[in-house]
Coordinates of all heavy atoms in Angstrom, one line a residue:
D7 N 99.2 107.7 93.0 CA 99.5 106.3 93.2 C 100.5 106.2 94.3 O 101.2 107.2 94.6 CB 99.9 105.6 91.9 CG 100.5 104.2 92.1 OD1 99.8 103.4 92.8 OD2 101.6 104.0 91.7
M8 N 100.7 105.0 95.0 CA 101.7 104.9 96.0 C 103.0 104.2 95.5 O 104.0 104.8 95.3 CB 101.2 104.3 97.3 CG 102.2 104.2 98.4 SD 101.6 103.5 99.9 CE 101.5 101.8 99.6
D9 N 102.9 102.8 95.3 CA 104.0 102.0 95.0 C 104.6 102.4 93.6 O 103.9 102.3 92.6 CB 103.7 100.5 95.0 CG 103.4 100.0 96.5 OD1 104.4 99.8 97.2 OD2 102.3 99.9 96.8
G10 N 105.9 102.8 93.6 CA 106.5 103.1 92.3 C 106.3 104.6 92.0 O 106.9 105.1 91.0
A15 N 108.4 100.3 95.3 CA 107.4 99.3 95.6 C 107.7 98.6 96.9 O 108.8 98.1 97.1 CB 107.3 98.3 94.4
R16 N 106.6 98.6 97.8 CA 106.7 98.0 99.1 C 107.8 98.5 100.0 O 108.3 97.8 100.9 CB 106.8 96.5 99.0 CG 105.5 95.7 98.8 CD 104.4 96.1 99.8 NE 104.6 95.4 101.1 CZ 104.5 96.1 102.3 NH1 104.3 97.4 102.3 NH2 104.7 95.5 103.4
A39 N 95.7 107.0 95.8 CA 95.0 105.9 95.1 C 95.9 104.7 95.0 O 96.6 104.5 94.0 CB 94.5 106.3 93.7
A40 N 96.0 103.9 96.1 CA 97.0 102.8 96.2 C 96.3 101.5 95.8 O 95.2 101.2 96.0 CB 97.5 102.7 97.6
G41 N 97.2 100.6 95.2 CA 96.8 99.2 94.9 C 96.8 98.4 96.2 O 96.1 97.5 96.4
S42 N 97.7 98.8 97.0 CA 98.0 98.1 98.3 C 96.8 98.2 99.2 O 96.0 99.2 99.1 CB 99.2 98.6 98.9 OG 100.1 97.6 99.1
N43 N 96.8 97.4 100.3 CA 95.8 97.5 101.3 C 96.2 98.6 102.3 O 97.4 99.1 102.3 CB 95.5 96.2 102.0 CG 96.7 95.5 102.5 OD1 97.8 96.0 102.4 ND2 96.5 94.4 103.2
K46 N 99.4 98.3 104.6 CA 100.6 98.5 103.9 C 100.9 100.0 103.7 O 102.0 100.5 103.8 CB 100.8 97.7 102.6 CG 100.8 96.2 102.8 CD 101.1 95.5 101.5 CE 101.1 94.0 101.6 NZ 99.7 93.5 101.8
Q50 N 104.1 102.2 104.9 CA 105.1 102.9 104.0 C 105.1 104.4 104.1 O 106.1 105.0 103.7 CB 104.7 102.4 102.5 CG 105.1 101.0 102.3 CD 104.7 100.4 100.9 OE1 104.0 99.4 100.9 NE2 105.0 101.1 99.9
M66 N 93.0 99.2 95.5 CA 92.5 99.5 94.2 C 91.1 100.3 94.2 O 90.3 100.2 93.3 CB 92.2 98.3 93.4 CG 93.4 97.4 93.2 SD 94.7 98.1 92.1 CE 93.9 97.8 90.5
E111 N 96.8 86.8 98.1 CA 96.5 87.7 99.2 C 95.1 88.4 99.0 O 95.0 89.2 98.1 CB 97.6 88.8 99.4 CG 97.4 89.5 100.7 CD 98.5 90.5 101.0 OE1 98.5 91.6 100.6 OE2 99.5 90.1 101.7
R113 N 92.3 90.8 99.6 CA 92.2 92.2 100.3 C 90.7 92.6 100.0 O 90.1 92.0 99.1 CB 93.1 93.2 99.6 CG 94.6 92.8 99.7 CD 95.4 93.7 98.9 NE 96.8 93.3 99.0 CZ 97.8 93.8 98.2 NH1 97.5 94.8 97.4 NH2 99.0 93.4 98.3
M116 N 89.4 92.9 96.3 CA 90.5 92.5 95.3 C 91.3 91.3 95.8 O 91.3 90.9 96.9 CB 91.4 93.6 95.0 CG 92.3 94.0 96.2 SD 93.6 95.2 95.8 CE 94.8 94.2 94.9
N118 N 95.4 89.9 95.3 CA 96.7 90.2 94.8 C 97.4 88.8 94.7 O 97.4 88.0 95.6 CB 97.5 91.1 95.8 CG 98.9 91.4 95.4 OD1 99.8 90.7 95.7 ND2 99.0 92.4 94.6
F119 N 97.9 88.5 93.5 CA 98.5 87.2 93.2 C 99.9 87.4 92.8 O 100.3 88.3 91.9 CB 97.7 86.6 92.0 CG 98.4 85.3 91.4 CD1 98.6 84.2 92.2 CD2 98.8 85.3 90.1 CE1 99.2 83.1 91.7 CE2 99.4 84.1 89.6 CZ 99.6 83.0 90.4
S120 N 100.8 86.6 93.4 CA 102.2 86.7 93.1 C 102.7 85.3 92.9 O 102.7 84.5 93.9 CB 103.0 87.4 94.2 OG 104.4 87.2 94.1
R124 N 104.4 86.5 98.3 CA 104.6 87.8 99.0 C 105.5 87.6 100.2 O 106.1 88.5 100.7 CB 103.3 88.4 99.4 CG 102.3 88.7 98.3 CD 101.4 89.8 98.7 NE 102.0 91.0 98.9 CZ 102.5 91.8 98.0 NH1 102.3 91.6 96.7 NH2 103.1 92.9 98.3
R131 N 112.7 89.8 95.6 CA 111.7 90.6 94.8 C 112.5 91.1 93.6 O 111.9 91.1 92.4 CB 111.3 91.8 95.6 CG 110.4 91.5 96.8 CD 110.1 92.7 97.6 NE 109.3 93.6 96.9 CZ 108.0 93.6 96.8 NH1 107.3 92.7 97.5 NH2 107.3 94.4 96.1
R144 N 104.2 88.2 84.2 CA 103.0 88.9 84.8 C 102.1 89.5 83.8 O 100.9 89.3 83.8 CB 103.4 90.0 85.8 CG 104.1 89.4 87.1 CD 104.3 90.5 88.1 NE 105.2 91.5 87.6 CZ 105.3 92.8 88.2 NH1 104.5 93.1 89.2 NH2 106.1 93.6 87.7
V162 N 98.9 94.7 86.1 CA 100.2 94.5 86.7 C 100.5 95.8 87.5 O 100.3 96.9 87.1 CB 101.3 94.3 85.6 CG1 102.7 94.3 86.2 CG2 101.0 93.0 84.8
G163 N 101.0 95.6 88.8 CA 101.4 96.7 89.6 C 102.6 96.3 90.4 O 102.8 95.1 90.6
G164 N 103.4 97.2 91.0 CA 104.5 96.8 91.8 C 105.5 96.0 91.1 O 105.7 96.1 89.9
K165 N 106.2 95.1 91.8 CA 107.4 94.4 91.3 C 107.2 92.9 91.1 O 107.8 92.3 90.3 CB 108.6 94.6 92.2 CG 109.1 96.0 92.4 CD 110.3 96.2 91.5 CE 111.0 97.5 91.8 NZ 111.1 98.3 90.6
I166 N 106.3 92.3 91.9 CA 106.2 90.9 91.9 C 104.8 90.3 91.7 O 104.6 89.1 91.7 CB 106.8 90.2 93.2 CG1 106.1 90.7 94.4 CG2 108.3 90.5 93.3 CD1 106.3 89.9 95.7
S167 N 103.8 91.2 91.6 CA 102.4 90.7 91.7 C 101.5 91.3 90.7 O 101.9 92.2 90.0 CB 101.9 91.0 93.1 OG 101.8 92.4 93.4
I168 N 100.3 90.7 90.7 CA 99.2 91.3 89.8 C 98.0 91.5 90.7 O 97.8 90.8 91.7 CB 98.9 90.4 88.6 CG1 98.4 89.1 89.0 CG2 100.1 90.3 87.7 CD1 98.0 88.2 87.8
D169 N 97.2 92.5 90.3 CA 96.0 92.8 91.1 C 94.7 92.4 90.3 O 94.6 92.6 89.1 CB 95.9 94.3 91.3 CG 97.0 94.8 92.2 OD1 97.3 94.1 93.2 OD2 97.7 95.8 91.9
K177 N 90.7 100.8 90.2 CA 91.0 102.3 90.6 C 90.0 103.2 89.8 O 89.9 104.4 90.2 CB 92.4 102.6 90.3 CG 93.4 102.0 91.3 CD 94.8 102.6 91.1 CE 95.8 102.0 92.0 NZ 97.1 102.6 92.0
D198 N 102.7 105.4 88.1 CA 103.8 104.8 87.3 C 103.3 103.7 86.4 O 104.1 103.1 85.7 CB 104.8 104.3 88.3 CG 104.4 103.0 89.0 OD1 103.2 103.0 89.4 OD2 105.2 102.1 89.2
N205 N 98.2 98.8 86.6 CA 97.1 98.9 87.6 C 96.6 100.4 87.8 O 95.7 100.6 88.6 CB 97.3 98.2 88.9 CG 98.3 98.9 89.7 OD1 99.0 99.8 89.3 ND2 98.5 98.4 91.0
D206 N 97.3 101.3 87.1 CA 96.8 102.7 87.1 C 96.0 103.1 85.9 O 95.4 104.2 85.7 CB 97.9 103.7 87.2 CG 98.7 103.6 88.5 OD1 98.0 103.3 89.6 OD2 99.9 103.7 88.6
Ligands
M1P1 O1 100.3 99.0 93.9 C1 100.4 97.7 93.4 C2 101.1 96.7 94.2 O2 102.3 97.3 94.6 C3 103.1 96.4 95.4 O3 103.3 95.3 94.6 P1 104.5 94.3 94.7 O4 104.4 93.6 96.0 O5 104.3 93.4 93.5 O6 105.8 95.1 94.5 C4 102.5 96.0 96.6 O7 102.3 97.1 97.5 C5 101.1 95.4 96.3 O8 100.5 95.2 97.5 C6 100.3 96.4 95.5 O9 99.1 95.7 95.1

Side-chain angles (χ1 to χ4, degrees):
D7 167 53
M8 182 177 75
D9 289 284
R16 276 306 285 134
S42 234
N43 54 357
K46 292 187 183 73
Q50 287 173 233
M66 302 288 283
E111 188 172 88
R113 302 174 184 169
M116 68 173 284
N118 182 266
F119 171 62
S120 167
R124 303 201 61 79
R131 294 174 68 84
R144 292 188 300 160
V162 175
K165 296 258 187 240
I166 59 163
S167 61
I168 61 178
D169 294 317
K177 287 193 186 184
D198 72 321
N205 73 348
D206 296 323

